[in-house]
Structures are given as structure tokens and as C-alpha cells.
Amino acid sequence: MAVEQLTQAEREEMLAAHPEWSLRDDGKAICRDFKFGNFSEAWGFMSRVALIAEKQDHHPEWSNVYNNVSITLSTHDAGGLSARDAKMAKAIDKLTQ
């Protein structure tokens, strides 16, 4: 089953719904940085995101340095952003509320 890229209008709608995320320069991914009180909090957050990613079968690109976590979402099967990324961003945002 082919995964469709979001249209320009859909990308704009997604970014409006998730203002903490930014569009990568090439327009094919969204990115967000998170800062926590310490490494343990950052790692706990990453563990919760990992459980969501497994459930959705959609895995982020990410990095962690001490209390900072950077996440990039893109759908490789679509060659850019898809509804999968919007769904994942929404789930991640809920973890930080």
C-alpha cells in the first residue's frame, strides 16, 4: 500500500496544529527539540515515544545529548511528510502537555 505525501495545504494545516514543530529546509520532514531537567527525564520521554512508535509502526529519527532530545519525523515510504507524521507529532505533543 502506497503512502501519500501531504499536499502543501495539508503540511500548512499540520504545522498550524503543531506550532512547536518546524518544517525542515527541504520540506520533507518536521523537527522539534525538547529540553528536560536531566538525562533521566529525557530518557524516560524517549522510552514513551518509542512505545508509541512501535504501536504506530512509524519510527522517528532522533538524538539525545544529556537533557536534550531532537526528533525528526518523515515518512520514507512516501518520500516526505505523510499523515503518519502528523499522527506521531500529535501523540508526542500529548506527552509534553
Side-chain angles (χ1 to χ4, degrees), residues 36 45 47-50 52 90-97:
F36 298 93
F45 169 75
S47 295
R48 291 188 300 279
V49 172
I52 293 167
K90 182 177 181 178
I92 292 170
D93 286 350
K94 284 184 180 181
L95 292 176
T96 62
Q97 295 175 348

Side-chain angles (χ1 to χ4, degrees), residues 3-5 24 26-29 74-82 85:
V3 180
E4 297 293 323
Q5 277 192 43
R24 195 170 66 189
D26 65 4
K28 294 185 178 191
S74 184
T75 303
H76 300 288
D77 291 343
L81 289 167
S82 77
D85 303 302

Side-chain angles (χ1 to χ4, degrees), residues 13-22 30 86-87 89-91 93:
E13 183 179 322
M14 179 182 60
L15 289 168
H18 305 285
E20 298 88 2
W21 294 84
S22 59
I30 54 173
K87 182 178 178 182
K90 182 177 181 178
D93 286 350

Side-chain angles (χ1 to χ4, degrees), residues 27-86:
K28 294 185 178 191
I30 54 173
C31 307
R32 183 172 175 192
D33 295 323
F34 300 85
K35 187 169 185 148
F36 298 93
N38 56 45
F39 177 76
S40 182
E41 289 177 16
W43 191 264
F45 169 75
M46 291 178 72
S47 295
R48 291 188 300 279
V49 172
L51 293 172
I52 293 167
E54 280 297 300
K55 186 175 182 179
Q56 293 185 12
D57 192 27
H58 188 57
H59 304 90
E61 296 175 26
W62 57 7
S63 65
N64 165 243
V65 177
Y66 182 58
N67 65 338
N68 296 296
V69 176
S70 297
I71 298 179
T72 299
L73 299 175
S74 184
T75 303
H76 300 288
D77 291 343
L81 289 167
S82 77
R84 291 180 179 182
D85 303 302

